[in-house]
Amino acid sequence: MTTTPASRTPAGGMPVTSTLVTGIAELVTNDPAHGGRLGLLTDAAVVVSRGEVAWVGPAARAPAADRRVDLHGRAVVPGFVDAHTHLVFAGDRAAEFAARMAGERYDGGGIATTVAATRAADDATLRALLAARMAELRAQGTTTVEIKSGYGLSVAEEARLLRLAAEVTGETTFLGAHVVPAGVDRSEYLELVIGPMLAACAPHSRWVDVFCESASPHAFDGDEARAVLEAGRRAGLGLRVHGNQLAPGPGVALAVQLGAASVDHCTHLTAADVDALAAGHTVATLLPGVEFSTRSPYPDARRLLDAGVPIALATDCNPGTCYSSSMPLVIALAVREMGMTPAEALWSATAGGAAALRRDDIGILAPGRRADLAVLDAPTHLHLAYRPGVPIARALAGDGTPAPRR
Amino acid sequence: MTTTPASRTPAGGMPVTSTLVTGIAELVTNDPAHGGRLGLLTDAAVVVSRGEVAWVGPAARAPAADRRVDLHGRAVVPGFVDAHTHLVFAGDRAAEFAARMAGERYDGGGIATTVAATRAADDATLRALLAARMAELRAQGTTTVEIKSGYGLSVAEEARLLRLAAEVTGETTFLGAHVVPAGVDRSEYLELVIGPMLAACAPHSRWVDVFCESASPHAFDGDEARAVLEAGRRAGLGLRVHGNQLAPGPGVALAVQLGAASVDHCTHLTAADVDALAAGHTVATLLPGVEFSTRSPYPDARRLLDAGVPIALATDCNPGTCYSSSMPLVIALAVREMGMTPAEALWSATAGGAAALRRDDIGILAPGRRADLAVLDAPTHLHLAYRPGVPIARALAGDGTPAPRR
């Protein structure tokens, strides 16, 4: 990868305002204007300026720019949109993971371990952990990340986690309704969540979410989840739902009925759930890293695709059920384990994630959209699934320069 | 990670001859002297000198050295030993991968595509591809790699591929008996392999290998495989076998009978095969990246472990059935899909690989052994399986400095 000033540099040492990114063997735009779902161009170039895409097209017709970055035959895709993570936490649960792999059953109770460690960590510690995780994401090609609270479970701690998350992303989600803390009365906790906790957290949040799961005693049932979501909506937040991860339940139907942007997991769906998703305006966000890391059956992506349901793919990066931040691994799992094509998986990891966040400025590379690009050490996007585990993707900065590897 | 000269630096600007690597939260030595199979130490340090380990022990008792590298609480493990790859090739088979994921069956015939592209590539092209792949391996923590020929399938081309492989590793394997080329008479090709091809390749090779597979018409049966191996032995080469990948067959029994260092794949074993391995001196090298990338059933690692068979884990990195060079992914798959513990998987990816190459200077961190270290961006080795897809491992150079990320 080489960077050179163009022959016409800006006068008087002015800051560079436009960069021509060229040498792109394959460009995935997700822009149907270029044909197909992925809007593929070969031998392409992109001009980025002030953090936005200014021009997309064949390299041979590229306009002049202040600077030129040559990617020497690599592929470029929209930066990954990871629409489901739990990145603000402290502590280490690797031993719990190893125990689960040796046969112990996971029911969600391990969250308490992370809650204790996170509460005990000061702001500086959590900021450092968060910064390292954000760098790790970008080094793997992710340019937008949603971050949930849910390891505070008190008014002050949930607000603190969201305040810290909002320092690194605009996509923050209040998840006080992650679990009912041990030893706390369910109905009292629910009142806390939809009352003072929501009031303290809403200023730092774009979204509200709830873990609606009939199979877990720590989670929330349909009526409780509805109360959380309706309160969140009254506070001005958009809606997201954790639903149908461990067993069929009311989460998906509720999410669609309330017009949530996304219902996440969708591992156990009835025919009615699929019909509801197909008829509604809620994205199904699938998180196959969780099934990988918990040795559980994968969601049936083809059933959803065949029904016309929009799918997002995300990591669910969290210390309990999937401590992976790798969107390329999620794509490889979607192809290997869920029968998605590499093109469907890539679209869902980019444009699908953008839809799950109700964003039209990301997940697509077209003039006026954000210059969120990821470059692959590979000639085509197929290599994301073809080269599992190999770190071939990394984000490009808004000015077209590659993010440093960690 | 910080590097500082020690208070006592070498006089007169002499080259640094010893480095103290410290700040190691967990050190995996694979040295039973430290207890357990992994020989774990916490709060440890290593002194490396002239490419060898000079000292291993608790950080508090570390001796002085010319230079000090502080890993700030990371884990260190022996560098991965990837004892089965096919790294010398040209061409791109990503589309074939995508087709197979869409339901086409793989029988090995796709190798011809790579043979054509590899023959068409000049030395400089192959050297550049190989150099990029070697850098990719080191950036993921691999410090020893075995490389097979098998995409030349003529006297001159096989010798060329091994000559190029020998430029980057001492662990080169003559695999003229990869497949019978299309349109070539089987018996004539076999005579070529064990005659002039072997003679031309032996000077560049440490090992001979054969694809012994009763389920593939392109591969070699038991009698043919025996002829290849016995000829290789007469030429002074050590023995390796591709066996029992697609179906039960004679490969494993033959490998044990002839005292091969390793029999690789072992996906379909009879009880007699397991008994033979347990009684013999041949390592079973499992390649779960292949099963991942071909959507095939995984080998039964626990059956082998329970029988006391030594297991190596390797990538099989190749353009047809597994284009992954990621030993961390292989470890994660071994834990998730084959029921190995994280400790068993790490041992097999390091000491197991060394055993499969009959090497006692690698795969263990002890005084006098090679200073092949991999550092993890994590506090324990458990994170290799706990953080699938995340590039947390990278090799340290023989002088203790971290390898650059690609």
Side-chain angles (χ1 to χ4, degrees):
Chain A
M1 213 166 305
T2 52
T3 303
T4 49
S7 51
R8 296 190 306 162
T9 51
M14 295 285 286
V16 169
T17 56
S18 67
T19 301
L20 169 63
V21 183
T22 187
I24 303 175
E26 178 187 273
L27 178 67
V28 173
T29 66
N30 286 341
D31 184 348
H34 301 298
R37 200 176 202 191
L38 290 187
L40 276 179
L41 296 171
T42 52
D43 296 323
V46 178
V47 176
V48 302
S49 179
R50 297 184 177 82
E52 289 187 358
V53 174
W55 183 89
V56 169
R61 296 214 302 270
D66 300 326
R67 207 177 49 134
R68 178 191 173 94
V69 173
D70 189 342
L71 297 179
H72 298 294
R74 291 179 171 83
V76 166
V77 302
F80 303 123
V81 179
D82 189 351
H84 185 136
T85 81
H86 304 251
L87 287 189
V88 198
F89 67 88
D92 189 299
R93 285 164 65 190
E96 175 189 317
F97 165 80
R100 188 173 62 234
M101 285 294 108
E104 292 184 17
R105 184 174 162 78
Y106 175 72
D107 71 352
I111 287 173
T113 311
T114 298
V115 171
T118 304
R119 288 177 175 175
D122 63 16
D123 283 8
T125 301
L126 290 176
R127 271 198 190 97
L129 289 167
L130 197 49
R133 289 172 193 143
M134 293 296 286
E136 181 180 291
L137 289 171
R138 286 193 61 81
Q140 296 174 95
T142 297
T143 51
T144 300
V145 62
E146 182 261 17
I147 301 179
K148 303 177 195 297
S149 67
Y151 297 125
L153 306 187
S154 72
V155 174
E157 285 295 317
E158 285 291 303
R160 181 170 78 111
L161 302 188
L162 285 159
R163 174 171 53 76
L164 294 169
E167 292 176 2
V168 300
T169 184
E171 301 294 348
T172 51
T173 300
F174 168 48
L175 182 59
H178 197 186
V179 292
V180 178
V184 177
D185 178 80
R186 289 190 73 82
S187 58
E188 284 180 17
Y189 187 69
L190 191 67
E191 288 305 309
L192 185 74
V193 167
I194 67 181
M197 197 185 286
L198 173 61
C201 290
H204 310 295
S205 306
R206 183 174 178 218
W207 305 97
V208 63
D209 194 350
V210 56
F211 185 23
C212 180
E213 187 63 57
S214 51
S216 170
H218 311 288
F220 298 84
D221 68 22
D223 290 341
E224 293 165 337
R226 177 186 295 274
V228 170
L229 295 168
E230 290 183 340
R233 169 174 285 162
R234 285 192 300 273
L237 305 183
L239 310 188
R240 322 185 70 72
V241 177
H242 281 66
N244 303 51
Q245 175 186 357
L246 304 173
V252 167
L254 181 67
V256 174
Q257 190 197 347
L258 295 183
S262 179
V263 57
D264 300 27
H265 287 293
C266 296
T267 311
H268 296 274
L269 301 182
T270 64
D273 290 329
V274 176
D275 290 346
L277 284 165
H281 301 281
T282 300
V283 172
T285 297
L286 308 185
L287 309 164
V290 173
E291 281 78 28
F292 184 85
S293 294
T294 58
R295 209 182 274 141
S296 304
Y298 290 88
D300 189 344
R302 287 247 65 86
R303 183 185 184 197
L304 292 168
L305 288 165
D306 292 347
V309 176
I311 292 180
L313 288 170
T315 63
D316 197 7
C317 186
N318 80 84
T321 57
C322 178
Y323 193 13
S324 180
S325 55
S326 172
M327 289 294 283
L329 180 71
V330 167
I331 289 169
L333 291 172
V335 171
R336 202 281 183 186
E337 305 291 359
M338 306 200 298
M340 296 178 78
T341 67
E344 288 167 342
L346 177 57
W347 187 92
S348 293
T350 52
L357 295 172
R358 298 244 164 113
R359 294 274 296 270
D360 60 11
D361 60 332
I362 57 175
I364 175 171
L365 297 178
R369 313 300 176 104
R370 281 175 60 107
D372 288 348
L373 283 68
V375 60
L376 310 184
D377 285 332
T380 72
H381 72 282
L382 297 176
H383 284 238
L384 287 164
Y386 179 44
R387 309 218 60 205
V390 183
I392 65 169
R394 62 193 138 142
L396 288 185
D399 66 355
T401 54
R405 298 202 176 266
R406 288 184 309 142
Chain B
M1 215 166 301
T2 52
T3 303
T4 49
S7 51
R8 296 191 306 164
T9 51
M14 295 285 287
V16 168
T17 56
S18 67
T19 302
L20 169 64
V21 182
T22 187
I24 303 174
E26 179 187 272
L27 177 67
V28 173
T29 65
N30 286 341
D31 184 348
H34 301 298
R37 201 176 200 191
L38 290 188
L40 276 179
L41 296 171
T42 53
D43 297 323
V46 177
V47 176
V48 302
S49 179
R50 298 185 175 84
E52 289 188 357
V53 173
W55 182 90
V56 170
R61 297 214 302 268
D66 299 327
R67 208 177 50 137
R68 179 189 172 95
V69 173
D70 189 342
L71 297 178
H72 298 294
R74 290 178 171 85
V76 166
V77 303
F80 302 124
V81 178
D82 190 350
H84 186 138
T85 81
H86 304 250
L87 287 189
V88 198
F89 66 88
D92 188 299
R93 285 163 66 190
E96 175 189 316
F97 165 79
R100 188 174 62 234
M101 285 295 106
E104 293 185 16
R105 185 175 162 77
Y106 174 73
D107 71 351
I111 288 173
T113 311
T114 297
V115 171
T118 304
R119 287 178 176 173
D122 63 16
D123 284 7
T125 301
L126 290 176
R127 272 198 189 96
L129 290 166
L130 196 49
R133 289 172 194 144
M134 293 297 287
E136 181 181 290
L137 288 172
R138 285 193 62 81
Q140 297 174 94
T142 298
T143 50
T144 299
V145 62
E146 181 261 19
I147 302 180
K148 301 176 197 299
S149 67
Y151 298 126
L153 306 186
S154 71
V155 173
E157 285 295 318
E158 285 290 302
R160 181 170 78 110
L161 301 188
L162 285 160
R163 174 172 52 80
L164 294 169
E167 293 175 2
V168 299
T169 184
E171 301 294 347
T172 51
T173 300
F174 168 49
L175 183 59
H178 197 186
V179 293
V180 178
V184 176
D185 178 79
R186 289 189 75 80
S187 59
E188 285 180 17
Y189 186 68
L190 192 66
E191 288 305 309
L192 185 72
V193 167
I194 66 180
M197 197 184 286
L198 173 61
C201 290
H204 310 293
S205 306
R206 182 175 177 218
W207 305 98
V208 63
D209 194 352
V210 56
F211 185 23
C212 180
E213 187 64 57
S214 51
S216 169
H218 311 288
F220 298 84
D221 67 22
D223 290 342
E224 292 165 337
R226 178 187 294 274
V228 170
L229 295 168
E230 289 183 341
R233 169 173 285 162
R234 285 193 298 273
L237 305 183
L239 310 188
R240 322 186 70 74
V241 177
H242 281 66
N244 303 51
Q245 176 185 358
L246 304 173
V252 167
L254 181 66
V256 174
Q257 190 196 348
L258 296 183
S262 179
V263 58
D264 299 27
H265 288 292
C266 296
T267 311
H268 298 274
L269 300 183
T270 64
D273 291 329
V274 176
D275 290 346
L277 284 165
H281 297 93
T282 299
V283 172
T285 296
L286 308 185
L287 309 164
V290 173
E291 281 78 28
F292 184 86
S293 294
T294 58
R295 209 181 274 143
S296 304
Y298 291 88
D300 189 345
R302 287 247 64 87
R303 184 186 183 197
L304 292 168
L305 288 165
D306 292 347
V309 176
I311 292 180
L313 289 169
T315 64
D316 198 6
C317 186
N318 80 84
T321 56
C322 179
Y323 193 11
S324 180
S325 55
S326 172
M327 289 294 284
L329 180 71
V330 167
I331 289 170
L333 291 172
V335 170
R336 202 281 184 187
E337 306 291 359
M338 303 200 301
M340 295 177 79
T341 67
E344 288 167 340
L346 176 57
W347 188 91
S348 293
T350 51
L357 295 172
R358 299 243 164 116
R359 294 272 297 270
D360 59 11
D361 59 332
I362 57 175
I364 175 170
L365 298 178
R369 313 302 176 102
R370 280 175 60 108
D372 287 349
L373 283 68
V375 60
L376 310 184
D377 286 332
T380 71
H381 72 283
L382 297 175
H383 284 238
L384 287 163
Y386 179 44
R387 309 217 60 204
V390 183
I392 64 168
R394 63 191 136 142
L396 289 185
D399 66 352
T401 53
R405 299 205 176 265
R406 288 185 308 141

